[in-house]
Amino acid sequence: MIYLIHRMKKFLTIVKAFWQRALTYRFTVLVYRIGEIGETLVLILMWSAIYGGQKNIGGLTLQEMITYILIGNFFNAIIRNFLSSVIARDIKDGRLSMFLIKPMGYFSYILSQEIGRISLATMMSVLSSTLVIIFFINTFIWDFDVTYLLVILAMVILAFIAELLLSYLIGLIAFWTDEVDGLYATIDRIKKFFSGGYFPLNLLPIAFVQVSFALPFAYSFFVPAQLYLKKVDLSTGLKGLLIQIIWILVLYGIIKIVWNRGLKRYEGVGI
Amino acid sequence: MTDIEVKNLSRTYEYYRKQQGLLGSFKSLFHREKLYAEAVKNISFSIESGELIGFLGPNGAGKTTTLKMLSGILHPTNGEVKVLGHIPSQREKIYQKQFALVMGQKNQLIQDLPAIETFVVNKEIYEIPDKEFQENLEELVNLFDIKNILDIQVRKLSLGQRMKCELVAALLHKPKVLFLDEPTIGLDVVAQKNIRDFIKKYNREKKTTIILTSHYMEDIKELCQRVIIINLGKIIYDGKLDDLIKKYAPHKLLKVVFNGNGVRREEVEKFGEIDEFNPYVCTFKTNRSEAKNTAVALLSSNLPVDDIIIDEVDIDDVVRKIFTSQS
């Protein structure tokens, strides 16, 4: 128990420190939101134009589509992270050395750091997404089914963890390649596509939907948004949670292997 | 008690050669020539508790590589390392809490926050009790006189101030063994002296075992009684700094100042090997044992001698000579 409290204290101290860092760069944090809000608005505008007079596309009315975009982006704001580049830079510049000599694992340190780094941005994002939702208050479909909300909550938390692990894994590739920007950008696009961030996945052939259900990405956008709209039932949601847990375990296992092998390669840069 | 024990330690790096130019870059996408560099070759040494050792060597000699193996960042390719009874590459927490590594060119301070925040984070990471932390912090802050910069963003500090904060961050957990990799690099003479004085005092008061690498001979001369010289991955000298001079510089320098119209070269040549000559100042290289005799001979001759200074060869020159003769 005491051990746990100690661990929590370490974790919180690092989170707090990086919270402060984020506050130092409040301009960046604020300006990011403009782009986010803009993107959401453009998507809504685009879909409004596509619908024209049509009542229904892919089983969604325009109102549902707008809700899908708004709520999906709201979830996404909570889930995403920017961990890969931080890790890759630590490895490339040899800063990892300074962590390797400390009596705390790099994994725990960097996760605490990232949570501290993004929590302010996340809150701002959630706030701005909420503002956009309020702006569309008449179009947005409000639904407070507690069971559904609980499943969605669990799904968002697991998606956060899965994405954190995935980013960590991508970052570790820098042990071999030094830079991971290209890899990250590519995976980010694949991720966005399979998550349903560009458009709802059920517009695509059923095979795509099935593949995406087996991947972790759909659970960061498409599935929780569809759950909210009650376009998929609870059992799909629960099955989703299971798939997420499996992914988290698999990613964790791969990370362990990659970390150990990568560390053997790590040369700390410079003789 | 022996704190650090290194036996037949080697480390090999892998690297690639890329042909010059764009075409070379394309070629290297498919095929790269793999090369190996032996950064450290079969070195052995041991260091007693409380010693302050100077680690000397030109760039790429293997100093940092050795320090990295001592702190567990790198696995040795061959050989054994033991520090405080632990094998560093196993990265046991119990060992990590007992040593610190400070690199002049890498920092652990969080750049965008004041140094005090890193100190607090380190307090948690190293699990330092509140009271001990307060006491250590106060002591170190006073020693360095940096109370007034603790709440300024690290990025905005001068290099010297930053280095002081780096040292504080590394010493909060009272390490028994301290590795300093070029702690004075890039600092001005005043800041260098500050850091140097601090290291000296800290070693004396806390009996901390310290390995120091530096390119500035001033640091080594001032701080270390024993030096280990390493070049091309091999130890070429391990012993007292004073003995180094005796071993590699078997002669002393005899500087003679003449007054009046000075002297001609032919007049002084018979007194010994001339190192530098002008009509008013002449420097001879003489054997250690003969320095006095030469001086007497000069004084009793009818040359217009004004002053004689007998001096050791400069340590910088000795080290330079060693390095160049090696490569």
Side-chain angles (χ1 to χ4, degrees):
Chain A
M1 190 62 207
I2 292 175
Y3 173 74
L4 255 173
I5 294 172
H6 266 296
R7 279 204 74 131
M8 273 316 280
K9 220 180 145 203
K10 272 188 197 184
F11 170 79
L12 281 177
T13 312
I14 298 167
V15 169
K16 268 198 295 198
F18 282 88
W19 241 61
Q20 295 179 46
R21 185 192 171 278
L23 280 167
T24 318
Y25 293 106
R26 46 201 171 218
F27 175 74
T28 311
V29 172
L30 272 173
V31 170
Y32 258 118
R33 303 293 88 76
I34 297 174
E36 276 172 18
I37 294 175
E39 198 182 40
T40 311
L41 291 179
V42 166
L43 275 175
I44 290 173
L45 213 67
M46 190 188 83
W47 279 108
S48 305
I50 293 174
Y51 269 80
Q54 270 175 286
K55 279 248 149 39
N56 189 313
I57 295 179
L60 295 175
T61 63
L62 178 60
Q63 197 189 10
E64 283 170 338
M65 182 62 85
I66 290 174
T67 308
Y68 173 85
I69 293 164
L70 291 171
I71 198 79
N73 276 306
F74 176 81
F75 295 144
N76 203 251
I78 303 172
I79 290 161
R80 72 199 157 156
N81 65 75
F82 306 92
L83 194 55
S84 320
S85 58
V86 180
I87 294 165
R89 213 175 314 130
D90 277 351
I91 294 172
K92 188 185 179 191
D93 299 345
R95 256 176 68 85
L96 182 63
S97 302
M98 297 317 286
F99 294 103
L100 290 180
I101 59 168
K102 288 188 178 174
M104 179 179 196
Y106 181 65
F107 187 65
S108 332
Y109 183 89
I110 208 75
L111 290 192
S112 325
Q113 175 182 326
E114 183 64 5
I115 288 169
R117 242 167 56 94
I118 61 170
S119 48
L120 182 76
T122 304
M123 281 197 307
M124 297 287 292
S125 248
V126 168
L127 195 73
S128 65
S129 310
T130 314
L131 282 177
V132 180
I133 290 176
I134 290 170
F135 185 73
F136 285 96
I137 196 151
N138 292 324
T139 321
F140 192 78
I141 300 164
W142 296 94
D143 190 345
F144 294 111
D145 186 325
V146 180
T147 11
Y148 272 84
L149 288 184
L150 281 176
V151 175
I152 291 172
L153 181 69
M155 191 168 281
V156 168
I157 293 171
L158 289 176
F160 176 75
I161 298 170
E163 294 239 349
L164 211 53
L165 292 179
L166 184 68
S167 298
Y168 188 78
L169 187 60
I170 295 172
L172 292 185
I173 302 300
F175 276 129
W176 287 268
T177 61
D178 285 340
E179 281 182 10
V180 296
D181 297 352
L183 182 68
Y184 176 76
T186 300
I187 291 186
D188 202 44
R189 290 205 166 85
I190 295 173
K191 209 163 74 180
K192 192 151 190 191
F193 175 75
F194 277 107
S195 78
Y198 291 124
F199 50 83
L201 291 170
N202 47 5
L203 295 181
L204 294 169
I206 189 78
F208 273 101
V209 184
Q210 271 159 356
V211 169
S212 68
F213 270 49
L215 296 172
F217 313 126
Y219 303 99
S220 332
F221 198 119
F222 180 69
V223 182
Q226 291 288 84
L227 270 173
Y228 182 81
L229 290 170
K230 292 191 173 163
K231 293 286 169 187
V232 292
D233 53 12
L234 271 180
S235 68
T236 314
L238 292 172
K239 217 173 87 190
L241 296 184
L242 192 71
I243 295 172
Q244 284 185 293
I245 291 171
I246 293 171
W247 268 109
I248 288 173
L249 294 176
V250 168
L251 283 169
Y252 188 73
I254 299 175
I255 284 172
K256 281 243 146 169
I257 297 167
V258 170
W259 169 256
N260 284 329
R261 302 196 67 168
L263 217 48
K264 286 218 177 86
R265 260 192 75 99
Y266 180 67
E267 297 175 342
V269 185
I271 297 176
Chain B
M1 208 183 82
T2 307
D3 269 5
I4 300 172
E5 186 80 58
V6 172
K7 258 190 228 149
N8 309 323
L9 185 68
S10 303
R11 168 75 201 196
T12 310
Y13 286 110
E14 236 176 59
Y15 63 102
Y16 298 98
R17 197 191 291 286
K18 183 187 91 65
Q19 285 171 23
Q20 187 258 326
L22 196 57
L23 189 65
S25 298
F26 276 117
K27 277 186 188 164
S28 70
L29 281 177
F30 302 100
H31 176 76
R32 294 194 291 186
E33 189 183 349
K34 203 185 221 178
L35 297 161
Y36 297 95
E38 277 188 285
V40 173
K41 298 174 199 163
N42 202 20
I43 63 169
S44 304
F45 59 87
S46 73
I47 293 171
E48 296 297 307
S49 195
E51 273 193 283
L52 205 174
I53 304 278
F55 227 47
L56 272 174
N59 290 329
K63 302 179 302 271
T64 306
T65 303
T66 308
L67 286 191
K68 281 179 177 169
M69 286 191 278
L70 288 174
S71 41
I73 296 170
L74 287 178
H75 283 257
T77 314
N78 262 313
E80 263 178 63
V81 188
K82 258 198 173 155
V83 187
L84 300 168
H86 299 274
I87 298 168
S89 56
Q90 292 181 345
R91 303 208 184 97
E92 296 163 284
K93 283 192 179 180
I94 185 165
Y95 169 56
Q96 291 177 321
K97 282 187 189 178
Q98 295 182 75
F99 85 95
L101 166 71
V102 179
M103 292 179 150
Q105 317 215 55
K106 297 228 164 71
N107 30 51
Q108 65 155 319
L109 297 171
I110 304 166
Q111 297 296 303
D112 305 301
L113 292 175
I116 187 76
E117 300 301 338
T118 306
F119 300 163
V120 172
V121 168
N122 271 10
K123 169 187 179 297
E124 292 307 324
I125 291 180
Y126 285 93
E127 293 165 351
I128 309 165
D130 291 345
K131 194 164 162 269
E132 202 183 314
F133 173 76
Q134 284 306 332
E135 284 169 9
N136 291 352
L137 182 63
E138 201 179 300
E139 190 187 352
L140 290 166
V141 165
N142 287 336
L143 266 172
F144 274 131
D145 192 22
I146 50 168
K147 207 172 200 110
N148 54 340
I149 58 164
L150 286 185
D151 50 2
I152 296 171
Q153 211 184 20
V154 171
R155 273 171 359 100
K156 308 280 180 197
L157 299 178
S158 74
L159 202 57
Q161 290 171 324
R162 212 181 303 172
M163 200 57 225
K164 287 177 179 176
C165 292
E166 285 283 346
L167 278 166
V168 173
L171 296 172
L172 283 170
H173 63 286
K174 289 198 176 160
K176 287 190 191 139
V177 174
L178 178 61
F179 305 126
L180 298 171
D181 193 15
E182 296 179 30
T184 53
I185 197 160
L187 302 185
D188 64 59
V189 277
V190 179
Q192 271 184 31
K193 187 160 169 22
N194 278 333
I195 302 280
R196 211 179 290 142
D197 289 346
F198 172 82
I199 295 170
K200 199 173 191 175
K201 202 169 166 200
Y202 195 83
N203 169 257
R204 203 187 317 127
E205 285 176 9
K206 311 279 180 194
K207 306 279 177 254
T208 310
T209 310
I210 300 177
I211 297 186
L212 167 84
T213 80
S214 178
H215 286 298
Y216 301 112
M217 279 315 294
E218 239 2 85
D219 288 348
I220 307 287
K221 268 190 271 187
E222 183 84 10
L223 295 170
C224 312
Q225 295 197 326
R226 179 177 155 198
V227 291
I228 294 176
I229 300 182
I230 181 168
N231 194 15
L232 304 169
K234 286 190 190 140
I235 291 183
I236 47 183
Y237 181 83
D238 177 358
K240 284 197 172 149
L241 189 61
D242 297 342
D243 295 344
L244 174 74
I245 300 174
K246 282 180 199 145
K247 184 177 171 192
Y248 284 91
H251 48 263
K252 289 196 173 191
L253 293 179
L254 203 73
K255 192 172 167 189
V256 189
V257 182
F258 302 102
N259 51 21
N261 295 326
V263 293
R264 281 176 294 127
R265 200 174 173 110
E266 304 87 74
E267 286 179 298
V268 292
E269 255 169 359
K270 60 183 177 208
F271 291 98
E273 190 188 334
I274 294 172
D275 193 39
E276 272 174 44
F277 177 85
N278 73 52
Y280 305 100
V281 182
C282 178
T283 312
F284 298 96
K285 262 177 165 177
T286 69
N287 282 336
R288 293 185 166 273
S289 49
E290 280 167 26
K292 257 189 268 174
N293 295 338
T294 312
V296 172
L298 275 160
L299 283 171
S300 45
S301 70
N302 39 20
L303 294 171
V305 175
D306 184 40
D307 196 6
I308 293 184
I309 303 151
I310 302 176
D311 210 354
E312 289 286 359
V313 176
D314 199 32
I315 181 88
D316 292 44
D317 294 331
V318 175
V319 171
R320 198 176 309 130
K321 203 175 115 192
I322 296 172
F323 290 164
T324 43
S325 72
Q326 285 284 316
S327 52

